[in-house]
Amino acid sequence: MKVKKNRLETLRMIISSQQMGSQEELLGALQKEGFQLTQATLSRDLKQLKVAKASTLSGNYVYVLPNDTMYKRVTTPGNIREMMQSSGFISINFSGNMGVIKTRPGYASSIAWNIDNSDMPQLLGTIAGDDTIFIVIKEGYSHEEVRKILEGVIR
């Protein structure tokens, strides 16, 4: 039972830290961590962990772990057209060379992935949670410069 517990914890870490879009990719990542298992076992593990697939802003589907906010209903929904056009971005605020981007629940990791995979020499990197992204700005760049370049990636 200890092996399964370790495997499930490793699977959680892989899904939460990497963009994995297929079971083959997950099997390969688990294999690199020393776990030999079949696709059927992986499928059962994913079901046990209640893993789902979610779309990134680039249109790819990746595995995501469940969280409470994913299952909450919107109390004041907008119309469908508005919701589909939204990137999930809510706001951005800066302090020194740091910035915090607020998103709708579940959007932060896909927006951070898009930021990280854009050519943005102004940023050192991102850290994403469920609805918040922490960014670090390189020295010599203004908040307004960063805000303008992010608009092209986020919206």
Side-chain angles (χ1 to χ4, degrees):
M1 200 53 138
K2 186 177 181 182
V3 172
K4 182 176 181 180
K5 183 178 177 184
N6 289 342
R7 185 179 70 238
L8 291 176
E9 186 58 32
T10 302
L11 185 55
R12 276 189 202 97
M13 294 299 292
I14 290 169
I15 291 171
S16 66
S17 65
Q18 300 175 41
Q19 300 276 330
M20 295 285 173
S22 70
Q23 288 190 5
E24 292 80 21
E25 289 176 326
L26 285 172
L27 283 170
L30 285 165
Q31 196 169 32
K32 286 180 184 175
E33 296 297 324
F35 294 96
Q36 298 296 324
L37 62 150
T38 65
Q39 183 275 328
T41 301
L42 175 60
S43 187
R44 286 189 294 273
D45 288 351
L46 293 172
K47 186 174 181 178
Q48 181 178 344
L49 294 174
K50 295 181 172 66
V51 171
K53 275 197 160 180
S55 177
T56 64
L57 289 178
S58 60
N60 298 325
Y61 285 89
V62 295
Y63 287 103
V64 294
L65 294 168
N67 61 48
D68 294 338
T69 57
M70 285 176 63
Y71 302 108
K72 290 182 182 173
R73 290 191 183 268
V74 176
T75 54
T76 55
N79 68 44
I80 299 298
R81 185 179 307 269
E82 287 174 2
M83 290 171 63
M84 291 188 65
Q85 291 176 346
S86 170
S87 68
F89 170 82
I90 294 175
S91 66
I92 185 167
N93 289 295
F94 298 100
S95 178
N97 72 329
M98 298 175 290
V100 174
I101 300 170
K102 297 300 286 179
T103 72
R104 292 191 345 218
Y107 281 75
S109 71
S110 62
I111 291 174
W113 187 87
N114 285 339
I115 292 169
D116 288 338
N117 287 287
S118 298
D119 184 26
M120 294 185 63
Q122 300 87 344
L123 297 182
L124 290 174
T126 66
I127 299 173
D130 181 58
D131 63 357
T132 306
I133 305 167
F134 175 77
I135 62 172
V136 179
I137 303 164
K138 286 184 183 175
E139 302 259 343
Y141 292 100
S142 73
H143 298 161
E144 199 52 42
E145 284 178 276
V146 173
R147 187 183 312 270
K148 283 182 182 178
I149 196 94
L150 282 173
E151 282 180 9
V153 175
I154 294 174
R155 296 184 188 229

